[in-house]
């Protein structure tokens, strides 16, 4: 590759890389402008923005570093390489700080989900206990007769059987919904742990390595 072509590629890589880094800065600035550090949801939003947008900045600084290597292949601490080192170090530190924030938010969200599911499970158990309550069954029979779901000329035993079958179906649907909610809770928790904490750890290692490579 000629020196002129190498120089053009180096310039292109530097500008593309800088653009990606600026995009991350703008995303963070849009969030930080609210200035609501006292709110847990705000801290979670900052952490999420940093985690999801940092890979873009990593690619950007990698392009900048490649451009610097193409332009000046001899190792040395040029201003551009120092910039990559400093920004990579700052992002590694920021991502390291997001780990306890993410864990705290994950614990809070998990507690809320568990409490909601426990309450739903308690209501379901209470409803299940009403299957043997004569007053409840009579009320269901009355409602079924008014809705035309239970024949008025059916025997008392048949009416009770229809009412109990109807209640069983309703409870089964509620149990299925509860199981689906539990599955969604588990899936969301895994996504937060792997997509949040796990991604943060990987990015911390990646930015630390990039910072070291930039000045070697």
């Amino acid at each position: 590759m000629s020196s002129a072509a190498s120089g053009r590629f180096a310039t292109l890589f530097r500008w593309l890389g800088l653009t990606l880094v600026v995009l991350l800065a703008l995303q963070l600035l849009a969030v930080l402008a609210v200035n609501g550090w006292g709110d847990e949801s705000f801290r979670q939003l900052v952490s999420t923005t940093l985690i999801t947008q940092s890979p873009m900045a990593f690619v950007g600084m990698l392009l900048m570093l490649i451009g610097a290597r193409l332009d000046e292949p001899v190792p040395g601490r040029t201003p551009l390489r120092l910039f990559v080192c400093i920004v990579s170090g700052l992002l590694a530190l920021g991502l390291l700080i997001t780990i306890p924030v993410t864990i705290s938010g994950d614990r809070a969200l998990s507690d809320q989900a568990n409490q909601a599911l426990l309450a739903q499970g308690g209501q379901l158990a209470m409803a299940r206990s009403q299957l043997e309550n004569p007053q409840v069954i009579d009320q269901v029979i009355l409602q079924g007769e008014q809705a035309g779901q239970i024949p008025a000329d059916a025997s008392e035993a048949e009416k009770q059987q229809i009412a109990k079958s109807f209640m069983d179906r309703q409870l089964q649907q509620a149990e299925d919904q509860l199981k689906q909610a539990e599955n969604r809770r588990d899936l969301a928790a895994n996504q937060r742990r792997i997509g949040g904490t796990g991604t943060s750890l990987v990015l911390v290692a990646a930015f630390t390595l990039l910072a070291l490579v930039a000045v070697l």
Side-chain angles (χ1 to χ4, degrees):
M1 183 182 296
S2 65
S3 59
S6 177
R8 287 195 295 270
F9 275 112
T11 302
L12 177 63
F13 285 153
R14 286 199 296 268
W15 279 108
L16 285 176
L18 182 60
T19 300
L20 295 177
V21 174
V22 170
L23 287 176
L24 169 64
L26 291 175
Q27 293 286 339
L28 288 175
L29 183 61
V31 176
L32 294 174
V34 179
N35 191 22
W37 286 105
D39 188 1
E40 176 66 25
S41 61
F42 175 79
R43 293 194 294 271
Q44 291 297 319
L45 179 60
V46 174
S47 299
T48 301
T49 303
L50 187 59
I51 293 170
T52 56
Q53 301 300 320
S54 286
M56 175 180 63
F58 178 81
V59 174
M61 283 187 289
L62 186 60
L63 289 173
M64 294 172 66
L65 187 58
I66 292 173
R69 295 292 188 184
L70 287 174
D71 201 20
E72 299 178 21
V74 179
R77 297 184 178 180
T78 64
L80 182 59
R81 293 176 182 176
L82 288 174
F83 173 80
V84 172
C85 177
I86 293 171
V87 174
S88 296
L90 290 175
L91 286 174
L93 180 61
L95 287 162
L96 189 63
I97 294 173
T98 66
I99 294 176
V101 175
T102 303
I103 293 175
S104 174
D106 175 55
R107 187 180 299 112
L109 290 173
S110 295
D111 289 343
Q112 291 176 2
N114 290 335
Q115 290 175 2
L117 290 174
L118 284 174
Q120 189 175 347
Q123 293 175 354
L124 183 58
M126 184 179 299
R128 177 69 68 180
S129 67
Q130 299 299 315
L131 277 175
E132 302 303 326
N133 189 329
Q135 294 179 347
V136 174
I137 295 176
D138 289 341
Q139 184 65 30
V140 173
I141 291 173
L142 179 60
Q143 292 175 352
E145 289 177 341
Q146 293 174 349
Q149 297 174 336
I150 298 178
D153 57 353
S155 66
E156 189 64 26
E158 290 174 340
K159 291 180 180 179
Q160 290 184 1
Q161 183 62 38
I162 295 173
K164 288 183 178 181
S165 297
F166 174 77
M167 293 173 66
D168 277 331
R169 289 194 300 271
Q170 294 295 317
L171 290 172
Q172 186 60 50
Q173 291 178 0
E175 288 178 355
D176 292 340
Q177 291 174 355
L178 180 59
K179 289 179 181 178
Q180 292 174 1
E182 291 173 346
N183 291 335
R184 288 194 297 269
R185 175 203 59 188
D186 296 339
L187 178 60
N190 289 334
Q191 287 177 333
R192 287 193 300 270
R193 293 189 185 103
I194 298 174
T197 306
T199 302
S200 295
L201 290 171
V202 172
L203 288 172
V204 167
F207 278 114
T208 302
L209 181 61
L210 185 63
L212 293 175
V213 170
V215 292
L216 292 179

